[in-house]
Amino acid sequence: MVDIATRVWNHKWKIDPIVRSLIDTDFYKLLMCQSIFRNKPETTVVFSLINRSTKVRLADLIDEGELREQLDHVRSLSLTRGESTWLRGNTFYGKRQMFRPDFMEWFEGLRLPAYHLEKRDGQFELTFEGRWPEVMLWEIPALSVLMELRSRAVLHDMGRFEIQVLYARAMTRLWEKIERLRGVEGLRIADFGTRRRHGFLWQDWCVQAMQEGLGAKFIGTSNCLIAKNRDVEAIGTNAHELPMVYSALADTDDELRQAPYKVLADWHEEHDGNLRIMLPDTYGTEGFLKNAPDWLAGWTGIRIDSGDPAKGAETAIRWWQERGEDPREKLVIFSDGLDVEKIEELYARFNGRVKVSFGWGTMLTNDFRGLVADDALAPFSLVCKALSANGRPTVKLSDNPAKAMGPPEEVERYKRVFGVGQQEVLEVVV
Amino acid sequence: MVDIATRVWNHKWKIDPIVRSLIDTDFYKLLMCQSIFRNKPETTVVFSLINRSTKVRLADLIDEGELREQLDHVRSLSLTRGESTWLRGNTFYGKRQMFRPDFMEWFEGLRLPAYHLEKRDGQFELTFEGRWPEVMLWEIPALSVLMELRSRAVLHDMGRFEIQVLYARAMTRLWEKIERLRGVEGLRIADFGTRRRHGFLWQDWCVQAMQEGLGAKFIGTSNCLIAKNRDVEAIGTNAHELPMVYSALADTDDELRQAPYKVLADWHEEHDGNLRIMLPDTYGTEGFLKNAPDWLAGWTGIRIDSGDPAKGAETAIRWWQERGEDPREKLVIFSDGLDVEKIEELYARFNGRVKVSFGWGTMLTNDFRGLVADDALAPFSLVCKALSANGRPTVKLSDNPAKAMGPPEEVERYKRVFGVGQQEVLEVVV
C-alpha cells in the first residue's frame, strides 16, 4: 500500500536536505558556543573548510549549485520549539539547565550567517566570517553537507540493488566491529562521528546499532539531534578552537603562553565534574602539562586527540602522579583515529590504571573503505577550522606536525613560546 | 509519517500468512497438474512431507498450532482473477494459452484438500491424501510453510539490528555470488529456489537482485507469483512425481519398464520446443537412456538432477551421438546442488559442447550457512513426495542411492526391472 501523503510530501521538496536541524551538530559545539557567547561574544572570526585529502577533488564531484542549495537550506533553519525544550529541559552530564536562559534566547533567534563559496583547483573554498558564536556553528553543518554530497555523487550512478548491497556490506562490517567490542568487558564508548559521517541516516543507523549491540557499553553520541531522537546521552566537552582563538587574540608572547590556561579557567567557572576534560595537544601536550597551573591537576580527565595515543596517556599519568593525583580516579578519553584494534589495545593497556573511555568517529560512521570501485567512498580528511580571530591568524600545532595549521612564521613563534621541540610525524588517515 | 491504513491492515491479520497465493508455487507443478488433470485425473495419491535432515527437529522448533494456522490459511486460498488472467493470457515458453480452458476452469474452483498432521520423534508427520491433481499442489506450499516457520522460529529471539545485519550478510553473500556469475560469458540461469527458500520475501529479493545484477543472463524463476509480480519468465518443465506415480500404477514388470516413457509420450502430445526436457534419473539415467525409444532423442534436452552432474551430461552427450543427434543443438539443464563454483565448472566444461542452462535452488534462496549461532538457519533437506498411488507404494532410485525412496523390496524390484547396478553414494546437502 503506497502512503500517498508521504510521497506527495517528499515530492514537494526542491532538494533532499542534508541538514534538517540546527541541533544536527556536536554537543560540544553548543557548550563552546555558550562559553564564547558569555566570554568573547564580539570576537570576529573566519572559519574555513580545509580538505586535507587533496586527491579527493570535491569540486569535480559535487555540483556547485547543489552545494549552494544545501548551504542555503542550512541558513533557513532555526531552532524548533521541541529542540529548544529539549536543550532547556534535558539533563546533560547529570545537570539540569546546562544551557542558560540568555543563551537559549539568543540561540532561538539565530540563523546561520552568510557563507562565501568559490571553486579553485578542483576544491571548494568555503569560508564563513562574522561573530564567533554564530560562525562557529557552521563547522558541523558545512562538513555534513560536503561529506554527504560526496557520498551522493558516488552513489548516483549505482543500481537499486547495488546500493542496497553496499549498505548491507557497510552494516555487516560495522556489526562485526560491534560484536568484537561486545567482548571488551567494562568498555565505555561514544559516537563522535558526526563531522566525518557518510550521511545523516547512516550515522543514525550506526547509533541505533550501537545501542542494541553494545547496551550499556554505549554511552551516547556527540550528535544532539540523534541523542534527542534516540534518547541517548549527548556527549562532548570542548575542542581546539577555544585555545586557537584565545591564542590568536593574545597581544604578547606572555599572554599567548597563558592563553590555553585562560580557556580552561573560563571553562572551570562554568562547568564541573565530567565536563572538566582538558584537551592538551593544541600546542604540544608535554609543554602544556609541564606549565599547567596546579588547579588543572584537579580536573576530571584528559582527551587525547593527536600523536601516539598511548604515549599521550602515559604522559598524562606521569603528570598526575607528579602532581599528587591518583590516576585511577582520572578519565582518559581517546578520540583520534580509532578503530576496533586500537580501541582493544588501548583499553587493555590503560583500563584499571585510569578510567578509560572512547570517542569513536570516522571508522564508526564512515567506514566504506573498499566497498565501491576506486575506493570512491573511502573516508577523507575534511575539517572546518578557525583561520583567524580579529584579523590575526590562528595556529594549531598538535602532537602531530602533519596536523599543524597556520602561517609558517607564526607556527615557529608558537613552537618557541610553547617550547615544542622535535615531533614525530604520523600519517593522518581521517 | 506513519501510513495508518497499512498498519491497521496489518493488525487485522490473525497470522502473518506465509503462502498468500495459489500461484506461489513452481511453474512445473502447474504444467504437470494440467497433464495429470488430462491423463490421470482419478488417481488417488498420498503425498508426505519428509525431512531428510533428521537433526533439524522441526516439531521442537515450530509450534503445532502455528503450523496448523498456516496450513489452514493455504486451504482458504483460491485463484484470484488477476492470477487467472495471467495464467490464461500470458505467453509461457513462447506459447499462448499454455493452460487449456477446461483446466483453468477447474483450477479457478479449486481449494486445496485436507491435510493430516501428527508429531512424532521431534518431527511433523504431514500427509495429504486425495485425487492426484489436487494433492500434488500441496507440495510447494507445504514446503514453503515449514521452511519459513523454521526461519521465523530461529529469528524470533533476535534483536532488530541483529536481524537487519543477518539479512545484510545474506544479501552481501548473494551479491558476491552474482558478481562472480556476471563474469560467466553467455550464462543462462534461472531461480529454482521456491521449495527450499528461507522465506517468500527473501526469494523475491533474490530474484530482483538477479534481475539487476545479471541482466539477460537471468532467464527467469520457477515461482509463478514472483514471475508475475516481477515480470520475468516462469520456468520449469516436469519432475519425478510423474514417472513415480505412473510406475506405481503399472500392473506388470513390463508395464513398469515402459512407465517412464509413457510419461514422456503423454508429455510429447501436449508440449513441444523447450518444454520437451526429459528427466532421466528417476530409475537410473544409464538404463533410461539405453532403453529409450528413438523419438526421445529428438527432444530438446535433458535435466540433470542427481548423481555426478558432469557424468550425467557426458552420458547424455554420448547417447545423443549414438542416436545420430548433434549434442550442440541440445539443452542440458543442471539443477542439483548448485552453487557458484559448480556452475562455473560445469559451464566451462560443457558450454559449446551442448547448450547449457542452470536451475539454481537452495544456495540461491537459502544460503544462510554460518550466519547465526549453531548454524540454526542452515538449509536442510525437506521434500514432499508421492508415497503411493491407488494404494501402491511409489519408488524413486535416482542416480544417488542416498536419494532413493520406497519400500526395500520394491526398491529391489525396480532395480532389477530397470537394470540398475552399483551406484555411487553422494552426500545430499540440501
Side-chain angles (χ1 to χ4, degrees):
Chain A
M1 215 180 281
V2 176
D3 177 359
I4 299 173
T6 300
R7 285 199 60 167
V8 172
W9 171 255
N10 287 337
H11 282 156
K12 279 181 31 176
W13 291 91
K14 211 179 72 214
I15 57 167
D16 183 355
I18 289 169
V19 176
R20 299 182 182 207
S21 159
L22 276 191
I23 68 165
D24 178 9
T25 193
D26 279 340
F27 181 66
Y28 74 177
K29 291 302 292 192
L30 300 188
L31 286 184
M32 288 191 292
C33 186
Q34 175 169 252
S35 182
I36 294 162
F37 176 78
R38 172 181 175 161
N39 298 307
K40 308 269 183 200
E42 299 305 328
T43 310
T44 297
V45 294
V46 176
F47 269 60
S48 175
L49 196 82
I50 300 153
N51 180 7
R52 295 176 186 150
S53 309
T54 46
K55 277 183 304 185
V56 179
R57 292 173 64 86
L58 288 174
D60 294 346
L61 277 166
I62 296 168
D63 178 70
E64 185 182 330
E66 265 185 76
L67 173 54
R68 286 184 184 275
E69 281 177 337
Q70 290 289 347
L71 296 171
D72 291 341
H73 181 78
V74 175
R75 290 198 66 204
S76 78
L77 297 171
S78 64
L79 209 59
T80 70
R81 192 143 143 187
E83 290 162 356
S84 175
T85 301
W86 183 77
L87 286 175
R88 283 174 181 268
N90 195 45
T91 303
F92 299 102
Y93 283 81
K95 180 176 167 186
R96 285 211 178 277
Q97 291 197 292
M98 175 71 81
F99 297 102
R100 292 185 308 273
D102 62 326
F103 172 73
M104 285 307 303
E105 209 166 301
W106 169 83
F107 195 18
E108 281 159 1
L110 178 78
R111 295 281 202 286
L112 289 194
Y115 59 89
H116 182 78
L117 177 65
E118 278 181 68
K119 278 210 247 192
R120 193 185 310 268
D121 294 335
Q123 299 295 340
F124 289 114
E125 287 193 358
L126 177 58
T127 55
F128 310 93
E129 183 164 3
R131 294 197 305 166
W132 191 10
E134 297 176 6
V135 165
M136 64 91 74
L137 290 176
W138 258 117
E139 177 184 358
I140 305 297
L143 293 172
S144 300
V145 163
L146 265 301
M147 292 302 296
E148 190 160 339
L149 281 180
R150 186 265 203 151
S151 301
R152 289 186 187 181
V154 175
L155 290 162
H156 187 269
D157 296 323
M158 289 173 66
R160 186 173 149 210
F161 281 74
E162 209 181 349
I163 289 173
Q164 199 176 5
V165 170
L166 169 70
Y167 285 107
R169 285 178 167 150
M171 286 174 181
T172 300
R173 177 177 291 175
L174 177 57
W175 195 254
E176 277 160 11
K177 294 184 186 187
I178 289 173
E179 284 178 331
R180 271 185 64 178
L181 291 177
R182 204 185 282 160
V184 181
E185 191 69 41
L187 179 70
R188 291 169 59 78
I189 190 165
D191 157 37
F192 275 20
T194 302
R195 64 186 52 237
R196 220 59 70 62
R197 70 192 182 195
H198 168 80
F200 172 75
L201 292 174
W202 178 246
Q203 185 187 12
D204 193 35
W205 191 92
C206 294
V207 166
Q208 292 175 78
M210 296 267 280
Q211 280 185 280
E212 180 180 306
L214 291 182
K217 292 187 170 86
F218 177 60
I219 58 174
T221 172
S222 63
N223 187 295
C224 298
L225 182 62
I226 296 176
K228 173 176 169 287
N229 291 345
R230 302 300 166 198
D231 216 357
V232 294
E233 294 292 322
I235 305 276
T237 53
N238 54 65
H240 299 105
E241 75 174 280
L242 293 178
M244 285 169 73
V245 173
Y246 273 56
S247 298
L249 297 176
D251 287 322
T252 64
D253 286 358
D254 242 19
E255 261 185 60
L256 173 58
R257 199 173 290 114
Q258 289 311 311
Y261 308 115
K262 179 68 174 82
V263 167
L264 299 183
D266 284 349
W267 197 261
H268 194 89
E269 266 183 49
E270 287 185 85
H271 301 295
D272 48 25
N274 280 338
L275 284 173
R276 287 187 177 165
I277 304 292
M278 57 187 148
L279 179 66
D281 68 324
T282 315
Y283 305 117
T285 297
E286 294 272 0
F288 175 87
L289 292 177
K290 198 173 69 189
N291 302 316
D294 280 336
W295 54 265
L296 207 53
W299 271 35
T300 307
I302 196 165
R303 182 157 72 92
I304 311 283
D305 199 46
S306 66
D308 174 358
K311 192 176 153 203
E314 296 290 359
T315 304
I317 288 171
R318 270 196 313 277
W319 178 72
W320 279 315
Q321 285 167 336
E322 284 161 18
R323 304 274 174 135
E325 299 283 332
D326 182 355
R328 287 173 303 180
E329 300 295 313
K330 298 297 182 181
L331 179 62
V332 174
I333 302 173
F334 295 103
S335 65
D336 181 40
L338 296 176
D339 208 351
V340 172
E341 294 74 21
K342 183 60 82 179
I343 292 168
E344 289 173 337
E345 178 194 318
L346 290 170
Y347 192 81
R349 177 159 172 180
F350 292 104
N351 181 43
R353 299 174 61 201
V354 291
K355 295 176 183 170
V356 177
S357 100
F358 297 92
W360 192 13
T362 311
M363 287 304 160
L364 167 60
T365 60
N366 201 356
D367 190 357
F368 283 68
R369 290 172 301 171
L371 296 185
V372 298
D374 302 326
D375 215 0
L377 282 178
F380 62 107
S381 191
L382 192 69
V383 294
C384 183
K385 291 283 186 190
L387 281 196
S388 68
N390 289 351
R392 296 174 184 174
T394 62
V395 169
K396 183 185 173 189
L397 302 177
S398 99
D399 288 331
N400 180 0
K403 282 186 167 182
M405 288 178 48
E409 64 282 9
E410 284 295 286
V411 168
E412 286 315 308
R413 181 168 77 98
Y414 274 63
K415 279 186 162 180
R416 176 172 52 73
V417 168
F418 291 103
V420 173
Q422 201 63 31
Q423 287 179 308
E424 186 189 357
V425 180
L426 298 173
E427 192 193 358
V428 179
V429 181
V430 284
Chain B
M1 213 182 282
V2 175
D3 177 359
I4 299 173
T6 299
R7 285 199 60 166
V8 172
W9 170 255
N10 287 337
H11 282 156
K12 278 182 32 178
W13 291 92
K14 211 180 71 214
I15 57 168
D16 183 354
I18 290 169
V19 176
R20 299 181 183 209
S21 158
L22 276 191
I23 68 165
D24 178 10
T25 193
D26 278 340
F27 181 66
Y28 76 177
K29 292 301 295 192
L30 300 188
L31 286 184
M32 289 191 291
C33 186
Q34 174 169 252
S35 182
I36 295 161
F37 177 77
R38 172 181 175 160
N39 298 306
K40 308 270 183 199
E42 299 304 327
T43 309
T44 297
V45 293
V46 176
F47 268 60
S48 175
L49 195 84
I50 299 154
N51 180 6
R52 295 175 186 151
S53 308
T54 45
K55 275 183 304 184
V56 179
R57 293 174 64 86
L58 288 174
D60 294 345
L61 277 166
I62 297 168
D63 177 70
E64 184 181 331
E66 266 186 74
L67 173 54
R68 286 185 184 275
E69 282 177 337
Q70 291 290 348
L71 296 170
D72 292 341
H73 182 77
V74 174
R75 291 198 65 204
S76 78
L77 297 171
S78 65
L79 209 59
T80 70
R81 192 142 145 190
E83 290 162 355
S84 175
T85 301
W86 183 75
L87 286 175
R88 284 173 182 269
N90 194 46
T91 303
F92 299 101
Y93 283 81
K95 180 176 166 185
R96 285 210 178 277
Q97 291 198 289
M98 175 70 80
F99 297 101
R100 294 185 306 273
D102 62 327
F103 172 73
M104 284 308 302
E105 209 166 301
W106 169 84
F107 195 19
E108 281 158 1
L110 179 78
R111 295 282 202 288
L112 289 195
Y115 60 87
H116 181 80
L117 177 64
E118 279 181 68
K119 278 210 249 192
R120 193 184 311 268
D121 293 337
Q123 298 295 341
F124 289 113
E125 287 193 358
L126 178 58
T127 55
F128 310 93
E129 183 164 5
R131 294 195 305 164
W132 192 10
E134 298 176 5
V135 165
M136 64 92 75
L137 290 177
W138 259 116
E139 178 184 358
I140 305 298
L143 293 173
S144 300
V145 163
L146 265 302
M147 293 302 296
E148 191 160 339
L149 281 181
R150 185 264 203 153
S151 301
R152 290 186 187 182
V154 175
L155 291 163
H156 187 267
D157 296 323
M158 289 172 66
R160 187 172 150 211
F161 281 74
E162 210 181 348
I163 288 172
Q164 198 175 5
V165 170
L166 169 70
Y167 285 106
R169 285 177 168 149
M171 286 173 181
T172 300
R173 178 177 291 176
L174 177 58
W175 195 255
E176 276 160 12
K177 294 184 185 186
I178 288 172
E179 284 180 331
R180 271 185 64 177
L181 291 176
R182 204 185 280 160
V184 182
E185 192 68 41
L187 179 70
R188 291 169 58 79
I189 191 164
D191 157 37
F192 275 19
T194 301
R195 64 187 51 239
R196 220 58 69 63
R197 71 193 181 194
H198 168 80
F200 172 75
L201 292 174
W202 178 246
Q203 185 186 14
D204 192 36
W205 191 91
C206 294
V207 165
Q208 293 175 78
M210 297 268 278
Q211 280 185 279
E212 180 179 306
L214 291 182
K217 293 187 170 87
F218 176 60
I219 59 174
T221 172
S222 62
N223 187 294
C224 298
L225 181 62
I226 295 175
K228 173 176 169 288
N229 290 346
R230 301 299 166 198
D231 216 357
V232 295
E233 293 292 323
I235 305 275
T237 54
N238 55 65
H240 299 105
E241 74 173 279
L242 293 177
M244 284 170 73
V245 172
Y246 273 57
S247 297
L249 296 176
D251 287 323
T252 65
D253 284 359
D254 244 18
E255 263 185 58
L256 174 58
R257 200 172 288 113
Q258 288 311 310
Y261 307 115
K262 180 69 173 82
V263 168
L264 300 182
D266 284 349
W267 198 262
H268 195 91
E269 266 183 48
E270 288 185 84
H271 300 294
D272 49 25
N274 279 338
L275 285 173
R276 287 188 177 165
I277 303 295
M278 58 188 147
L279 180 65
D281 67 326
T282 317
Y283 305 117
T285 297
E286 292 273 1
F288 175 87
L289 291 177
K290 197 172 70 189
N291 301 317
D294 279 336
W295 55 264
L296 206 52
W299 271 35
T300 306
I302 196 166
R303 182 157 72 92
I304 310 283
D305 200 45
S306 65
D308 174 359
K311 192 176 153 204
E314 294 291 0
T315 304
I317 289 171
R318 272 198 309 277
W319 178 73
W320 279 315
Q321 285 167 337
E322 284 161 20
R323 304 275 174 133
E325 299 282 333
D326 182 354
R328 287 172 304 179
E329 301 294 315
K330 299 297 184 180
L331 180 62
V332 174
I333 302 172
F334 296 103
S335 64
D336 182 40
L338 296 175
D339 209 351
V340 173
E341 294 75 21
K342 183 60 83 178
I343 292 168
E344 288 174 337
E345 178 194 318
L346 290 169
Y347 191 81
R349 177 158 172 180
F350 292 104
N351 180 43
R353 299 173 60 199
V354 292
K355 295 176 183 170
V356 177
S357 101
F358 297 93
W360 192 13
T362 311
M363 287 304 160
L364 168 59
T365 60
N366 200 356
D367 190 357
F368 282 69
R369 290 173 300 171
L371 296 186
V372 297
D374 303 326
D375 216 358
L377 282 178
F380 63 106
S381 190
L382 192 69
V383 295
C384 183
K385 290 284 185 189
L387 280 195
S388 68
N390 289 351
R392 296 174 184 177
T394 62
V395 169
K396 183 185 173 188
L397 301 178
S398 99
D399 288 332
N400 179 1
K403 281 185 166 183
M405 288 178 46
E409 65 281 9
E410 284 294 287
V411 168
E412 285 314 310
R413 181 167 77 98
Y414 275 62
K415 279 187 160 179
R416 176 172 50 74
V417 169
F418 290 104
V420 173
Q422 201 63 30
Q423 288 179 307
E424 185 189 356
V425 181
L426 298 173
E427 192 193 358
V428 179
V429 180
V430 283

